[in-house]
Amino acid sequence: MATSFSASAAAAAAHHQPLAERLRPRTLGEVIGQQHLLGEGMALRLAFESGQPHSCILWGPPGVGKTTIARLMADAFDAQFITISAVLGGVKDIREAVEQALLARDGLHAQRTIVFVDEVHRFNKSQQDAFLPHVESGLFTFIGATTENPSFEVNSALLSRAAVYVLQPLGEDDLRQLAGRAQAIGAVPAVEQAAMDRLIAYADGDARRLLNTLETLSVAAGREKLAEVTDVWVLKVLGERMRRYDKGGEQFYDTISALHKSVRGSDPDAALYWFVRMLDGGADPRYLARRLIRMATEDIGLADPRALRLALDAAEVYERLGSPEGELALAECVVYLAVAPKSNAVYKAFNQAKAFVKKDGSRPVPLRLRNAPTQLMKSLDYGKGYRYAHDEEGGFAAGERYLPDGMPDTPFYRPVPRGLEIRIGDKLRELRELNNQKN
């Protein structure tokens, strides 16, 4: 009777666990995604198979398996697993972990210990330093999990003692497989294809978000005795957070297009509006940072070269600060790009040069432009007749030609009369006039 009661109690307890916990992989083979680390012959798989744990930092976005991998590592090495939350914990928790590790090491079975620190970037320098002597002595293996770039957020001393593994967001196929597992254990009812597409887009590579959303829907569907979860019903139940933004669909690309066109059209207010709309809808600020870098090169270019530097700086600031503080740097960049002088001259020149080369074929480099590092090359007239521009008046070899022989002069780059390109255009006209005088 006692055994039967215990089994029933265990089953009941398991049933009341969150879905994400019930589906947490118990073996390495059950892990979905991260095959660039866990696939045959890959770095983390080799670490598991070696039998020797090593300190590491798992860097990746939320819901991609950082905690799961750490737990599996403890199981694989038969190690005591101690979890510390850097959000809630402090030096006291570190001291307690050290004491438990000493007891495990010096106990009857001489067990290893793995100390897992979730959100390790939240610990300050002194808290991170507290791990160092124990990692060095081998008292325990340290595993840190972080959503932030460890280069900026983890002390260099600790970073030098730990391998860094970069985890990726789960792909659509991975998320569908995960949803299938939830349905296989009866935790989720049938889901209409359109509804599943929306849920996977909303999850945006985050397994925990997908499972939590499925669990919410499952409870609601049970109350309403629904046989199938439809797309219309999903929008009704989950409301604005699902309706506002479809990261994988047409609205996403429409909105980024509106942002890009507002910047190109020099309207800072509209650009800010669309930028905030995307943030409010759940767009990844890192994606927005990449798009701002693209705008700086495509639509501003040499009319204001500072724009590209500002875009790169804004992206770096966001990596250091995260949300919401880092979003202000991106907003500053949006406004700067919108008010900066515009030029797509380099963008057009690059595309024209690519098109020309593609259809023109490979013309030989003129002998005068070739290097002659050997005597044989010199005897073949490599470099003969080359004029060293620095030795010429004004640092310009007027009349010299640098295109392949026989190729017509092709002005790919045509500066626009805006911003710095006004001066660039004046300079090019001056140099071309000097060339004409020599020819």
Side-chain angles (χ1 to χ4, degrees), residues 20-67:
E21 189 61 34
R22 279 186 278 161
L23 287 181
R24 189 182 294 279
R26 302 294 188 261
T27 67
L28 203 59
E30 293 178 4
V31 176
I32 294 175
Q34 312 310 332
Q35 290 307 296
H36 66 293
L37 295 175
L38 298 173
E40 205 65 43
M42 297 295 105
L44 261 180
R45 169 61 71 90
L46 294 175
F48 273 84
E49 293 172 350
S50 70
Q52 292 295 323
H54 63 273
S55 293
C56 61
I57 292 172
L58 305 175
W59 173 27
V64 296
K66 298 186 290 293
T67 303

Side-chain angles (χ1 to χ4, degrees), residues 51-182:
Q52 292 295 323
H54 63 273
S55 293
C56 61
I57 292 172
L58 305 175
W59 173 27
V64 296
K66 298 186 290 293
T67 303
T68 293
I69 290 173
R71 287 186 179 182
L72 289 175
M73 199 172 289
D75 291 343
F77 302 123
D78 191 26
Q80 174 182 220
F81 188 69
I82 300 173
T83 300
I84 299 175
S85 170
V87 177
L88 304 173
V91 173
K92 177 176 177 289
D93 299 271
I94 299 173
R95 290 199 193 101
E96 290 177 357
V98 170
E99 291 173 5
Q100 292 180 53
L102 286 169
L103 289 172
R105 185 193 66 182
D106 300 334
L108 185 62
H109 300 293
Q111 189 180 26
R112 291 167 169 161
T113 296
I114 286 179
V115 175
F116 175 67
V117 182
D118 197 17
E119 303 291 338
V120 65
H121 60 275
R122 301 281 188 141
F123 270 159
N124 60 35
K125 184 179 186 301
S126 63
Q127 290 169 321
Q128 292 184 26
D129 284 345
F131 290 103
L132 291 176
H134 309 296
V135 171
E136 288 183 335
S137 70
L139 175 61
F140 56 69
T141 298
F142 170 85
I143 301 179
T146 178
T147 56
E148 304 295 331
N149 189 330
S151 299
F152 302 136
E153 305 295 342
V154 179
N155 289 353
S156 57
L158 186 56
L159 197 60
S160 68
R161 292 163 175 79
V164 176
Y165 297 111
V166 182
L167 280 68
Q168 303 295 340
L170 271 63
E172 286 191 14
D173 290 343
D174 296 329
L175 293 173
R176 290 184 195 282
Q177 185 180 348
L178 188 61
R181 286 188 185 177

Side-chain angles (χ1 to χ4, degrees), residues 350-371:
F350 178 60
N351 287 333
Q352 289 173 12
K354 284 199 301 183
F356 181 90
V357 168
K358 186 175 182 179
K359 71 178 182 181
D360 186 61
S362 299
R363 296 173 182 261
V365 177
L367 289 175
R368 66 185 178 280
L369 299 182
R370 302 185 192 186
N371 284 332

Side-chain angles (χ1 to χ4, degrees), residues 61-62 64 169-170 175 199-207 209 247-248 282-284:
V64 296
L170 271 63
L175 293 173
L199 292 169
I200 285 172
Y202 173 70
D204 195 30
D206 184 333
R209 179 188 285 184
K247 292 185 183 182
D284 184 351

